[in-house]
Amino acid sequence: MTMKKIARSVGVLAAGVGLVALSNPAHAAGDVYKGTGWRILNGRGIESLSPDPYVIHIVKPSTSATKLSAAKNKAAEAQLRAQLKKTAAQLTSITGTKFTLASGYHKEQKDCSTAERHVITVGLKYRPFTPGNKPGYSQAHPCSATANQSAWGGWIWVDSEYWIPGDWAASPARVSNMMSHEIGHSIGLDHANVDGPDANHTADPYECVSNSSKDLPLMCSPNGGHGRAKGGSETRVKKYAGQYTKWDIAGLKALKANFSR
């Protein structure tokens, strides 16, 4: 698969305003917002992860919005549900905060001022990235609670092009990585890119910390994960599809720890 054909996923990184004043105070100066291979969206309003449960919902896909047939919509939804269930289980295990995937469908969320607390909706659309409707890009819209800067919830739009034959079609493993990547944005993880050996003062695509197994942080932009560095193994990509790496896990744990500081 060429670089052009790899499914991309970019979080919107413009966390909205939270809805209500919560009882916890604003966080202390001891909060930690970055480390090796991870970064928190504190500059965009999210500093922590609440211990209260979060629920992930699917927005019912329509053929007009996705440009997919009814059968392909059904197949794509099934694939997303399978990964979201795994992602929710991972997050519960890593953070101690309970994440669940709801059955049925949820209405579309469009604005942080009306988004439901601790609800993350996931839907399918053709080229949903704004501005520009960029091909191959999915997008997360995270919201924050104004009183304590914890992750409020939000919504994610997944590009239906991943299920359309052509340049942007994506393997199941790539879709799994994308889904966990976008959920990571929704609860407060930023992209993990840093300026690398080229020292050009720019955190370029895929320019992230790596290891001897050719892993990148799953939150590496446009889409990292196990075996995703140059020269990585597709076998490793498939084996660990959608799983957070050690760097992402450190960031998730920091998000949770920040809540009680």
Side-chain angles (χ1 to χ4, degrees):
M1 187 176 269
T2 66
M3 182 70 73
K4 182 181 180 184
K5 294 182 180 179
I6 293 173
R8 293 170 164 84
S9 67
V10 178
V12 69
L13 307 194
V17 176
L19 306 182
V20 296
L22 303 181
S23 59
N24 297 79
H27 298 134
D31 286 358
V32 179
Y33 302 127
K34 63 180 179 179
T36 300
W38 61 272
R39 186 177 293 109
I40 288 174
L41 282 170
N42 64 301
R44 307 285 180 154
I46 301 180
E47 298 180 357
S48 68
L49 181 69
S50 171
D52 296 338
Y54 291 78
V55 183
I56 303 169
H57 294 264
I58 295 286
V59 175
K60 188 173 183 177
S62 70
T63 55
S64 61
T66 65
K67 298 188 179 182
L68 299 175
S69 67
K72 282 196 173 183
N73 268 340
K74 185 175 181 179
E77 179 190 331
Q79 190 175 346
L80 293 182
R81 282 191 183 276
Q83 181 54 50
L84 287 168
K85 185 175 181 180
K86 294 176 182 178
T87 301
Q90 284 186 74
L91 292 173
T92 300
S93 177
I94 293 166
T95 67
T97 290
K98 187 175 182 180
F99 286 81
T100 56
L101 174 65
S103 59
Y105 298 107
H106 195 283
K107 64 182 180 181
E108 178 180 329
Q109 297 193 117
K110 299 179 179 180
D111 193 286
C112 286
S113 65
T114 55
E116 297 177 43
R117 182 173 186 257
H118 291 194
V119 167
I120 301 168
T121 58
V122 179
L124 282 162
K125 280 186 179 181
Y126 180 80
R127 297 189 180 178
F129 188 89
T130 56
N133 303 108
K134 295 180 181 180
Y137 278 75
S138 293
Q139 190 169 40
H141 299 258
C143 304
S144 63
T146 53
N148 64 6
Q149 292 77 54
S150 64
W152 182 269
W155 61 98
I156 295 167
W157 288 113
V158 175
D159 188 5
S160 60
E161 286 180 287
Y162 304 157
W163 290 271
I164 298 175
D167 285 346
W168 307 106
S171 68
R174 299 290 200 276
V175 170
S176 291
N177 283 345
M178 173 279 302
M179 201 67 267
S180 291
H181 178 110
E182 298 299 353
I183 290 291
H185 282 320
S186 295
I187 61 172
L189 289 183
D190 200 345
H191 288 139
N193 300 53
V194 294
D195 187 21
D198 58 8
N200 66 349
H201 306 292
T202 302
D204 297 315
Y206 298 102
E207 197 167 42
C208 297
V209 63
S210 185
N211 60 17
S212 59
S213 297
K214 305 299 182 181
D215 299 332
L216 295 174
L218 190 58
M219 297 307 298
C220 188
S221 175
N223 208 345
H226 293 85
R228 293 288 283 118
K230 185 177 181 180
S233 163
E234 188 66 20
T235 298
R236 187 169 178 82
V237 173
K238 293 178 180 178
K239 181 177 180 179
Y240 296 103
Q243 294 187 31
Y244 294 105
T245 68
K246 64 179 182 179
W247 303 292
D248 308 296
I249 290 170
L252 289 165
K253 288 183 175 181
L255 268 170
K256 183 62 178 291
N258 282 350
F259 190 87
S260 57
R261 285 196 177 97

